[in-house]
Amino acid sequence: MLPFRHHVFICTNRKPDDDGCCAARGSEEVMQKFRAEIARRKLQSEIHVTPCGSLGTCGHGPNMVVHPDGTWYSGVTVEDIAEIVEQHLLGGKVVERLAWLDNEKLHQTIADNRAKSLAKKQA
Amino acid sequence: MLPFRHHVFICTNRKPDDDGCCAARGSEEVMQKFRAEIARRKLQSEIHVTPCGSLGTCGHGPNMVVHPDGTWYSGVTVEDIAEIVEQHLLGGKVVERLAWLDNEKLHQTIADNRAKSLAKKQA
């Protein structure tokens, strides 16, 4: 049995030299408000929210992933939080306008970012 | 369909004033070696590994969680990585000696740590 109905991870990675990273795009505020929304609705024993490092979809953030279904969201703002909580976490329906619906495209984006990051380290 | 067969999150949280936090217990090395092991086995398109912030089981770390099954592991060392990859991620069998098998105990530990952290902030 799952310990939590949903476990939400929100990227709060900050790259000092990259204004396209999640933190530079406001993910820390998304994280704080998401947690506050879960606490306000007394859902902490059902929905666990954890900050995380890069999910690999850098440049599209703020990024988050919802488990166990593995839904990947990008471009999430504080205005989207209520909709994700209500429609997806409580209602079971993915917010399609923010989700990666094509796994192949998601994998390619992550692989491209990994290659870019590796090249940068080796430069 | 899940974007990854498994998504592993490893806590690399560092609390400067707490030598019981995951980073102080060696989680950054666990993270690096876990990723290297996945890369060595060419499993990157099947198993995604992401560093994360506190999972709430502080003091028991290094902590990690494996999704979609939501298996919570604590006290993971670099010596345990091959076993977790082979037995659990490839073989589908949880490494019970490292896992939280009692969800109620897990929830209570997380709630206790949350209360402790809140009290510290308010002090």
Side-chain angles (χ1 to χ4, degrees):
Chain A
M1 206 188 114
L2 289 173
F4 294 97
R5 192 152 55 86
H6 284 295
H7 195 168
V8 178
F9 292 88
I10 301 171
C11 176
T12 55
N13 200 31
R14 181 174 292 280
K15 304 180 188 171
D17 58 343
D18 184 356
D19 60 7
C21 75
C22 284
R25 286 167 177 245
S27 70
E28 284 161 346
E29 197 188 353
V30 171
M31 170 71 205
Q32 282 167 11
K33 294 212 169 167
F34 209 102
R35 270 201 170 154
E37 181 70 7
I38 297 302
R40 190 182 68 80
R41 290 171 184 256
K42 303 195 192 314
L43 291 169
Q44 287 171 324
S45 63
E46 294 172 53
I47 298 168
H48 200 49
V49 183
T50 304
C52 71
S54 175
L55 286 162
T57 42
C58 315
H60 299 268
N63 300 307
M64 53 181 276
V65 62
V66 176
H67 283 296
D69 44 290
T71 302
W72 223 272
Y73 285 121
S74 285
V76 178
T77 70
V78 291
E79 282 76 32
D80 302 314
I81 293 171
E83 189 178 352
I84 292 172
V85 173
E86 273 167 43
Q87 184 179 313
H88 183 167
L89 304 185
L90 296 175
K93 201 174 169 301
V94 168
V95 179
E96 296 202 350
R97 65 182 177 85
L98 297 169
W100 290 73
L101 302 173
D102 180 343
N103 280 343
E104 207 173 310
K105 200 173 161 188
L106 173 65
H107 278 217
Q108 193 55 55
T109 302
I110 290 172
D112 289 349
N113 270 316
R114 183 180 291 131
K116 214 186 292 177
S117 165
L118 199 67
K120 209 169 175 178
K121 271 180 199 158
Q122 288 170 342
Chain B
M1 205 186 114
L2 289 173
F4 295 96
R5 190 152 59 84
H6 285 295
H7 195 168
V8 178
F9 291 88
I10 301 172
C11 177
T12 55
N13 201 31
R14 182 174 291 281
K15 302 180 189 171
D17 58 342
D18 183 357
D19 61 7
C21 76
C22 285
R25 287 168 177 245
S27 70
E28 283 162 345
E29 197 188 356
V30 172
M31 172 70 204
Q32 281 167 11
K33 296 213 170 169
F34 209 102
R35 269 201 171 153
E37 181 70 6
I38 297 301
R40 190 183 69 78
R41 292 172 183 254
K42 303 195 191 316
L43 291 169
Q44 288 171 324
S45 63
E46 293 172 54
I47 298 168
H48 200 48
V49 183
T50 304
C52 71
S54 174
L55 286 162
T57 43
C58 313
H60 299 268
N63 301 307
M64 52 182 276
V65 60
V66 176
H67 283 294
D69 44 288
T71 302
W72 223 273
Y73 285 122
S74 284
V76 178
T77 70
V78 292
E79 282 76 30
D80 302 315
I81 294 172
E83 189 178 353
I84 292 171
V85 173
E86 272 167 42
Q87 183 178 314
H88 182 167
L89 304 185
L90 296 175
K93 200 173 170 306
V94 167
V95 179
E96 296 201 350
R97 67 182 175 85
L98 299 169
W100 290 73
L101 302 173
D102 179 343
N103 282 342
E104 206 172 313
K105 200 172 161 190
L106 174 64
H107 278 216
Q108 192 56 55
T109 302
I110 291 173
D112 289 349
N113 270 317
R114 183 181 291 131
K116 213 186 292 175
S117 164
L118 199 67
K120 209 169 176 179
K121 270 180 200 158
Q122 289 170 341

